[in-house]
């Protein structure tokens, strides 16, 4: 209960001040002239001015506000080790019950869970505490109790940075005699050229009361497959070499053998994700008979920054004799031996554009090309009428690896290229712009070479469902035949053109084994807080996918068809670490968060990190597990104290904040009392003057 004096003037303040000033001036003049009753007149004038100010006594009815105590529950991944999660739950239930019995305390439970975006920052209890108390004034905060294993990574430098002046207590789960083995990645490359050797620097650490030494077994895996096992020292840094096998993410795991009796094996594995960077793809383009679309392939490949192009155009075949002296020709001889014998393995793709046998390449070189394909190379034949007749490339040893056998006929009529049923699901031709309508919104072509798809997959058809584009796999390599040379009509925009750039570029990159264009593939990627499983297939259905998390927990996902040939499923990422998706014999890996998160640098429970901050706030840090059971301290409240903890108790600060519930106003010059005072003052003036 508080009393105060308030004013509610009946006239403007300036008028009341002027009236009071006039009364004072008249009274002072009367005093100077020794006029009887001057002092009484002054008192009467001031009483009148005071009455015009309308003073009142105000009584405030206030209620004391409750103090807010925060219980911050550490739900990080290290808290799931051993019995810590159960200990935390037991401590939370007991602490909430004790706080509920304390008068004037409002309990707020704040759970700090890891987020994938910030997983590299470790356990962030104080960030969760600040967010949970954002709507509470600092003077109402009674304190905070942290239920944690002590491994906290956002501890303020001092108590002043907390934003409130109240005690912080930490109740620590786990035991003080824990031992653990961990592997620390001190340095690892982020990128590497495909096929080159890189290395990582590692260190194996045994934490505990009695550090161990010696050598242990270290297993190295690439994309889930074991590549080698080595012997590594404990406590000393060492290097492990490895080879970047393919473009895109190469996921390397380095797993050390467990230590007997150690706390957990979750940090016995270090992960390095090395992005494989391919050197520029080398393409050999051999143009034969000149034609209207001769520069289509050249322009496309020259515009691709990832391709180094070597282009030869055969303008002067051996049988051409026009009498021009050799020294007057600006042409160079076709380096057949160098290209097709000495350096053939250096090329990722060989393209024959309207090429026909004209005595330039001996048959032995075609045999070299066929063997080059079998051993992992790629050949594309972009054919014209030359492919249909006796001097066709199919009539050479190269024909053994080509997936389309010509019939000897050509079809000359306008038609629109269409995707086959498999072409709608194949990554080379799927979702080509304009393919969704029937017929496709593409310009017409006017020539097609009739051929039978002897092997491989027909992804595009001409009129009458005749093969137009056939893709095939031969041995370790790939081959493709395009049975028309009129893609240049699309490039020049005839009848609106067509998707020549995505089609030809995808075709070339599929031949060069780009992983994104594989027909049968399982992929696992991270998008925000979700894992996305994608299954590319030419089949009509896919099986369930088993997703295994870093903690070993398995989930079964059922993909649904997102678009023809592409099936997709999503799942929440439950923590930081390596995830594995398996469907049949196919396996895909993805790593969530940083490869070496703070959360697992040290997983032993500890009191040390929080001790300085707790002491600075008058709080305490103590373990709560004794003889296998959870023992909680008593909870009490203190108004103000230098120390809020004892041997068996913790204290919280009670708030002095209040809220106004009502006002009672008592006017001093209202009613008969005010009238009596004013009449008394006037009467006193008259009495004094009448003497």
């Amino acid at each position: 209960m508080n009393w105060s004096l308030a004013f509610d003037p009946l006239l403007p303040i300036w008028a009341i001040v002027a009236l009071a000033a006039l009364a004072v001036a008249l009274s002072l003049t009367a005093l100077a002239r020794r006029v009887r009753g001057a002092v009484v007149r002054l008192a009467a004038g001031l009483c009148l001015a005071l009455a015009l100010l309308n003073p009142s006594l105000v009584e405030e009815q206030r209620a004391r506000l409750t103090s807010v105590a925060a219980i911050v529950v550490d739900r990080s991944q290290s808290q799931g080790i051993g019995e810590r999660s159960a200990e935390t739950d037991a401590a939370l239930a007991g602490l909430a019950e004790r706080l509920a019995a304390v008068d004037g305390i409002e309990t707020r439970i704040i759970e700090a869970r890891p987020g994938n975006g910030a997983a590299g920052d470790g356990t962030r209890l104080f960030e969760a505490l600040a967010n949970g108390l954002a709507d509470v004034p600092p003077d109402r905060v009674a304190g905070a109790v942290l239920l944690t294993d002590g491994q906290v990574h956002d501890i303020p430098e001092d108590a002043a940075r907390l934003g409130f002046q109240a005690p912080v207590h930490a109740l620590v789960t786990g035991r003080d005699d824990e031992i653990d083995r961990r592997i620390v990645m001190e340095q690892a490359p982020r990128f590497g050229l495909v096929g080159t050797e890189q290395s990582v620097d590692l260190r194996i650490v045994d934490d505990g009361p009695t550090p161990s030494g010696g050598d242990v077994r270290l297993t190295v895996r690439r994309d889930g497959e074991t590549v080698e096992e080595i012997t590594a020292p404990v406590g000393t840094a060492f290097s492990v070499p490895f080879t970047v096998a393919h473009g895109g993410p190469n996921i390397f795991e380095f797993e050390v053998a467990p230590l007997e009796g150690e706390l957990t094996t979750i940090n016995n594995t270090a992960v390095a994700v090395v992005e494989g960077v391919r050197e520029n793809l080398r393409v050999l383009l051999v143009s034969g008979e000149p034609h209207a679309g001769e520069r289509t392939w050249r322009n496309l490949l020259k515009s691709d920054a990832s391709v180094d192009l070597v282009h030869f155009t055969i303008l002067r075949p051996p049988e051409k004799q026009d009498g021009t002296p050799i020294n007057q020709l600006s042409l160079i001889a076709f380096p057949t031996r160098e290209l097709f014998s000495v350096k053939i393995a250096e090329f990722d793709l060989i393209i024959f554009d309207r090429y026909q046998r004209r005595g330039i390449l001996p048959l032995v070189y075609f045999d070299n090309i066929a063997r080059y394909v079998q051993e992992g190379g790629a050949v594309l034949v972009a054919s014209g009428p030359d492919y249909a007749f006796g001097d066709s490339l199919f009539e050479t040893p190269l024909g053994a690896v080509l997936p389309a056998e010509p019939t000897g006929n050509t079809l000359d009529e306008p038609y629109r290229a269409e995707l086959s049923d498999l072409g709608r699901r194949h990554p080379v031709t799927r979702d080509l712009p304009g393919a969704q309508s029937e017929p496709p919104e593409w310009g017409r072509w006017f020539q097609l070479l009739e051929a039978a798809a002897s092997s491989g997959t027909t992804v595009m058809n001409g009129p009458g469902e005749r093969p137009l584009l056939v893709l095939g796999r031969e041995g370790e390599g790939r081959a493709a035949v395009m049975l028309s040379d009129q893609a240049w009509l699309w490039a020049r925009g005839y009848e609106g053109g067509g998707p020549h750039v995505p089609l030809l570029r995808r075709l070339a990159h599929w031949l060069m084994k780009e992983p994104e264009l594989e027909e049968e593939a399982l992929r696992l990627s991270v998008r925000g807080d979700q894992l996305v499983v994608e299954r590319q297939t030419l089949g009509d259905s896919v099986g369930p996918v088993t997703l295994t998390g870093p903690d070993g927990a398995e989930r079964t996902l059922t993909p649904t068809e997102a678009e023809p040939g592409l099936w997709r499923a999503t799942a929440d990422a439950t923590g930081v670490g390596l995830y594995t998706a398996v469907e049949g014999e196919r396996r895909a890996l993805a790593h969530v968060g940083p490869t070496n998160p703070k959360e697992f640098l040290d997983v032993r429970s500890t009191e040390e990190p929080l001790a300085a901050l707790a002491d600075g706030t008058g709080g305490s840090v103590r373990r709560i597990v004794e003889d296998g059971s959870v023992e909680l301290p008593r909870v009490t409240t203190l108004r103000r104290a230098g120390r809020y903890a004892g041997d068996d108790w913790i204290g919280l600060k009670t708030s002095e904040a209040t809220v106004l519930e009502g006002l009672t106003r008592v006017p001093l010059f209202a009613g008969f009392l005010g009238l009596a005072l004013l009449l008394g003052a006037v009467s006193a003036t008259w009495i004094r003057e009448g003497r």
Side-chain angles (χ1 to χ4, degrees):
M1 181 180 297
N2 296 313
W3 289 92
S4 60
L5 185 65
F7 296 91
D8 187 14
L10 301 176
L11 294 177
I13 292 295
W14 64 267
I16 298 174
V17 171
L19 180 61
L22 178 61
V24 171
L26 293 175
S27 299
L28 292 176
T29 301
L31 285 173
R33 294 183 178 182
R34 300 180 181 275
V35 176
R36 185 181 298 173
V39 175
V40 178
R41 287 181 181 178
L42 176 60
L46 293 178
C47 285
L48 178 59
L50 185 60
L52 292 175
L53 286 174
N54 192 20
S56 303
L57 286 177
V58 178
E59 178 190 9
E60 295 181 347
Q61 289 86 39
R62 288 186 171 272
R64 186 173 296 278
L65 292 174
T66 58
S67 301
V68 179
I71 303 177
V72 184
V73 186
D74 182 356
R75 297 296 187 187
S76 62
Q77 286 178 269
S78 63
Q79 273 284 76
I81 297 173
E83 301 297 324
R84 294 180 189 176
S85 181
E87 294 165 3
T88 301
D89 293 339
L92 174 61
L95 188 60
E97 182 179 354
R98 297 188 182 196
L99 286 175
V102 179
D103 292 335
I105 294 294
E106 175 189 339
T107 304
R108 186 169 293 189
I109 298 175
I110 303 169
E111 295 205 349
R113 298 185 179 273
N116 294 327
D121 295 332
T123 302
R124 305 189 63 80
L125 298 190
F126 289 92
E127 180 180 308
L129 174 63
N131 293 335
L133 297 180
D135 60 334
V136 180
D139 59 346
R140 286 191 59 198
V141 178
V145 182
L146 313 179
L147 299 179
T148 177
D149 56 11
Q151 296 290 355
V152 183
H153 303 100
D154 65 340
I155 302 174
E157 295 179 1
D158 52 64
R161 296 178 179 270
L162 284 172
F164 58 83
Q165 295 181 349
V168 174
H169 304 280
L171 305 183
V172 180
T173 59
R175 293 156 182 79
D176 59 1
D177 59 349
E178 297 167 341
I179 62 173
D180 186 54
R181 169 172 287 171
R182 55 193 172 96
I183 183 169
V184 179
M185 183 171 292
E186 297 190 336
Q187 185 176 2
R190 295 180 58 191
F191 303 92
L193 288 176
V194 174
T196 63
E197 186 175 275
Q198 305 289 327
S199 65
V200 297
D201 294 337
L202 304 173
R203 183 165 49 89
I204 300 171
V205 180
D206 286 351
D207 294 319
T210 56
S212 60
D215 295 332
V216 294
R217 188 185 77 256
L218 180 74
T219 303
V220 182
R221 298 187 186 91
R222 180 179 59 223
D223 297 331
E225 300 293 332
T226 300
V227 293
E228 66 174 326
E229 291 187 353
I230 61 176
T231 300
V234 176
T236 305
F238 59 94
S239 295
V240 178
F242 59 87
T243 301
V244 181
H246 55 79
N250 291 253
I251 299 179
F252 292 91
E253 301 171 77
F254 305 91
E255 182 179 2
V256 64
L259 176 66
E260 183 178 357
E262 71 171 312
L263 183 63
T264 178
T265 59
I266 196 170
N267 55 358
N268 286 32
T269 301
V271 177
V273 180
V274 181
E275 190 74 19
V277 180
R278 298 181 65 173
E279 293 186 277
N280 276 7
L281 302 169
R282 299 200 68 196
V283 178
L284 172 62
L285 173 60
V286 181
S287 297
E289 180 181 342
H291 65 103
E294 183 175 358
R295 297 189 63 86
T296 301
W297 276 107
R298 176 182 175 84
N299 293 340
L300 177 73
L301 295 170
K302 290 292 286 185
S303 67
D304 193 334
S306 63
V307 170
D308 285 339
L309 177 65
V310 177
H311 185 196
F312 283 92
T313 301
I314 302 173
L315 298 177
R316 187 180 180 88
E319 70 272 11
K320 184 174 183 179
Q321 299 294 333
D322 58 4
T324 304
I326 297 297
N327 59 4
Q328 295 182 18
L329 293 176
S330 61
L331 307 179
I332 64 173
F334 191 32
T336 54
R337 180 177 179 277
E338 183 179 9
L339 293 176
F340 298 106
S341 179
V342 178
K343 295 185 177 181
I344 187 172
E346 297 181 5
F347 292 101
D348 298 286
L349 171 63
I350 299 174
I351 301 176
F352 289 102
D353 179 27
R354 286 289 297 266
Y355 182 87
Q356 58 183 327
R357 289 189 299 143
R358 306 183 72 173
I360 298 175
L361 288 181
L363 291 180
V364 65
Y365 289 135
F366 289 109
D367 189 61
N368 287 348
I369 299 171
R371 188 164 52 252
Y372 153 82
V373 172
Q374 293 283 353
E375 294 174 355
V379 165
L380 168 64
V381 175
S383 59
D386 50 87
Y387 192 71
F389 305 114
D391 54 0
S392 167
L393 289 176
F394 193 83
E395 301 301 328
T396 69
L398 182 59
V401 298
L402 296 178
E405 180 179 356
T407 64
N409 298 322
T410 62
L411 185 69
D412 296 309
E413 65 177 58
Y415 66 93
R416 296 186 189 276
E418 295 186 350
L419 301 184
S420 67
D421 291 339
L422 289 179
R424 297 183 185 278
R425 297 195 291 270
H426 200 288
V428 170
T429 49
R430 183 180 63 224
D431 68 20
L432 283 176
Q436 295 74 23
S437 61
E438 187 64 38
E441 296 178 353
W442 303 332
R444 292 175 298 170
W445 292 1
F446 297 90
Q447 188 179 74
L448 177 70
L449 309 179
E450 288 190 347
S454 54
S455 62
T457 303
T458 301
V459 296
M460 293 185 74
N461 289 327
E465 298 188 353
R466 295 177 177 87
L468 174 59
L469 176 59
V470 185
L471 312 179
R473 294 172 179 263
E474 296 294 334
E476 298 296 323
R478 303 182 182 186
V481 176
M482 179 169 281
L483 296 163
S484 177
D485 63 351
Q486 296 195 337
W488 62 272
L489 291 172
W490 284 358
R492 297 188 184 181
Y494 177 75
E495 293 186 344
H500 74 287
V501 172
L503 173 62
L504 301 184
R505 182 165 291 165
R506 290 182 196 175
L507 175 58
H509 283 271
W510 177 85
L511 288 164
M512 292 184 284
K513 302 180 182 178
E514 285 295 321
E516 295 79 6
L517 295 170
E518 290 295 322
E519 306 97 302
E520 300 291 335
L522 179 66
R523 303 184 184 93
L524 181 62
S525 58
V526 183
R527 299 178 187 174
D529 290 339
Q530 284 196 322
L531 293 162
V532 180
V533 178
E534 290 185 332
R535 175 70 166 94
Q536 165 67 45
T537 181
L538 298 183
D540 296 326
S541 63
V542 299
V545 176
T546 301
L547 181 67
T548 306
D551 56 357
E554 293 185 353
R555 287 176 281 176
T556 300
L557 306 179
T558 303
T560 57
E561 191 170 19
E563 53 185 282
L566 185 64
W567 301 67
R568 186 177 294 133
T570 59
D572 293 332
T574 55
V576 179
L578 190 64
Y579 289 80
T580 305
V582 176
E583 190 259 350
E585 297 181 354
R586 300 187 181 278
R587 174 188 298 263
L589 292 89
H591 197 280
V592 173
T595 53
N596 295 283
K598 292 181 180 179
E599 183 67 23
F600 300 132
L601 289 181
D602 191 353
V603 295
R604 295 175 301 152
S605 69
T606 177
E607 302 170 56
E608 295 179 7
L610 290 164
L613 178 69
D615 186 67
T617 64
S620 62
V621 180
R622 66 187 74 208
R623 292 187 178 274
I624 59 174
V625 179
E626 295 183 6
D627 299 327
S629 61
V630 175
E631 301 290 339
L632 295 177
R634 293 184 297 108
V635 180
T636 187
T637 56
L638 301 171
R639 186 174 293 273
R640 289 189 182 183
R643 189 74 181 164
Y644 291 88
D647 292 338
D648 62 346
W649 62 275
I650 59 175
L652 297 173
K653 180 181 177 182
T654 56
S655 173
E656 297 181 0
T658 59
V659 62
L660 181 64
E661 291 185 334
L663 293 173
T664 301
R665 183 183 292 270
V666 180
L668 297 180
F669 281 88
F672 290 107
L673 177 60
L675 180 61
L677 289 174
L678 291 176
L679 289 177
V682 174
S683 298
T685 302
W686 176 74
I687 293 172
R688 182 68 182 92
E689 290 179 351
R691 288 184 179 180

